[in-house]
Each structure stands twice: as C-alpha cells, then as structure tokens.
C-alpha cells in the first residue's frame, strides 16, 4: 500500500516517444499517448530533460498532464539531482502532483550509497509523501551488499510510517538476497 500514491506519469500501448541526445550531455524525451476507448479518456503528453555534461553529476526535470478518466486531471512534475564522487553517490528528488478533483500530493526522497571497497556497499534512503489533509507517509531504508567471488549477499531493512497517509498503518520489512554468477 505504500506505493498507492505514485507520481509517475502514464504509459500505454501505441505511445509515441521522441528522444534526442546532444554531445554536451543534454537529453530530451517527449511522449504522447492518444486517447483510446477503454484505456484512457484523454490524450496524454509529457516531457523530460536531463543533463549529464559534468563528471559525476546528473540533473533532470520532467512534467506531464495526466487524465486517465474524464474529470481526474492532474499535472505532475519532478526535479532531481544525483552526484557521484569516489565511492559515494548522493541523490535527491522532489515531485508534485497537482490534482483538479482531489488532494494535491508532494514527494521528497533522498538517498546515499557508499562503496566501502570493491566488495562492500552500504546505502540509506528516506522518502516523505505529503497529501493535503492527511498524515505524511514517511519511509526509511538501510541496506548493505557484499560480494565474495561469484556469490553476492544483500540485506536491507525498511520502515514505513502512515502507509497511504493513514496514521494507524505502520509497517516494517526485511530482505535478504543471495545471487550466484556463473
């Protein structure tokens, strides 16, 4: 239920997408989806632009107009930055969903990972989902992965308070993965 209020645009069959990349590190993507009977009542458009022209830095912005069924129009936008230096990578993302017929939603996420050495990586992430008139959904995760030859081991712990912006719903989760490379 923590992903119930996803700010992520819209996609479907027969979507037209145009992508352009320039040598300077500037990238543009434009999408269009024509309305189609049972799939979408209205057409959908979006665009995104990223810049990767500085070593270790990626920044981007995207915006779309979503109306999957008549009367549910929303304007969605996101802005992000990620920077990697040495073994560390830090990122932040801020997204908004301005709804015509329901509460607006704002999302802020940060994450950091650090490669301690060639075998060990640790990470931390935090995310807040704000919905007007509701409690904020707050998520936190920490993780670690270790590689021993062809064996990979990963562990993580996740905590979400106020799932789907409901104050009486808190959850925790744990994960362990094993992977083998042959």
């Amino acid at each position: 239920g923590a992903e119930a209020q996803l700010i992520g645009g819209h996609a479907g069959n027969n979507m037209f997408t145009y992508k352009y990349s320039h040598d300077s590190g500037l990238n543009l993507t434009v999408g269009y989806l024509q309305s189609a009977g049972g799939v979408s009542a209205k057409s959908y458009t979006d665009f995104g632009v990223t810049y990767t022209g500085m070593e270790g830095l990626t920044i981007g912005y995207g915006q779309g107009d979503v109306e999957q069924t008549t009367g549910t129009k929303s304007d969605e936008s996101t802005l992000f930055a990620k920077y990697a230096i040495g073994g560390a990578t830090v990122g932040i993302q801020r997204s908004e969903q301005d709804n015509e017929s329901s509460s607006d939603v704002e999302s802020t996420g940060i994450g950091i990972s650090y490669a301690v050495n060639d075998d060990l990586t640790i990470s931390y992430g935090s995310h807040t989902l704000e919905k007007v008139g509701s409690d904020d959904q707050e998520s936190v995760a920490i993780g670690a992965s270790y590689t021993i030859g062809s064996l990979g081991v990963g562990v993580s712990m996740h905590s979400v308070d106020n799932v789907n912006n409901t104050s009486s719903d808190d959850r925790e989760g744990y994960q362990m993965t094993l992977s083998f490379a042959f």
Side-chain angles (χ1 to χ4, degrees):
E3 75 285 353
Q5 192 61 56
L6 180 67
I7 301 173
H10 182 59
N13 294 330
N14 301 318
M15 184 170 187
F16 170 78
T17 304
Y18 173 78
K19 295 183 179 186
Y20 173 77
S21 295
H22 191 269
D23 292 339
S24 66
L26 188 64
N27 305 289
L28 173 69
T29 302
V30 178
Y32 174 76
L33 179 62
Q34 175 133 357
S35 63
V39 177
S40 179
K42 302 288 183 177
S43 60
Y44 167 75
T45 57
D46 67 14
F47 76 91
V49 62
T50 60
Y51 177 72
T52 58
M54 184 176 151
E55 186 177 342
L57 178 67
T58 302
I59 57 173
Y61 177 78
Q63 182 174 348
D65 296 322
V66 180
E67 188 170 10
Q68 293 181 21
T69 57
T70 303
T72 63
K73 185 174 182 180
S74 67
D75 296 322
E76 297 182 358
S77 62
T78 190
L79 175 66
F80 74 91
K82 180 177 75 168
Y83 186 66
I85 185 167
T89 302
V90 178
I92 185 167
Q93 183 167 0
R94 177 86 172 145
S95 303
E96 293 184 359
Q97 182 182 56
D98 297 324
N99 297 304
E100 236 177 44
S101 58
S102 62
S103 297
D104 294 344
V105 179
E106 295 181 357
S107 168
T108 304
I110 61 167
I112 184 168
S113 66
Y114 182 68
V116 177
N117 55 41
D118 289 343
D119 299 323
L120 177 65
T121 300
I122 56 175
S123 62
Y124 169 82
S126 172
H127 180 257
T128 301
L129 187 71
E130 302 172 47
K131 192 174 188 180
V132 175
S134 300
D135 294 322
D136 293 351
Q137 175 179 292
E138 298 174 341
S139 308
V140 174
I142 57 173
S145 64
Y146 189 75
T147 305
I148 307 166
S150 63
L151 173 66
V153 178
V155 293
S156 62
M157 181 188 82
H158 311 262
S159 173
V160 182
D161 293 336
N162 306 323
V163 173
N164 200 17
N165 302 96
T166 304
S167 64
S168 60
D169 195 357
D170 298 341
R171 301 183 195 173
E172 290 183 355
Y174 305 90
Q175 181 177 7
M176 181 176 172
T177 59
L178 291 172
S179 60
F180 302 93
F182 296 100

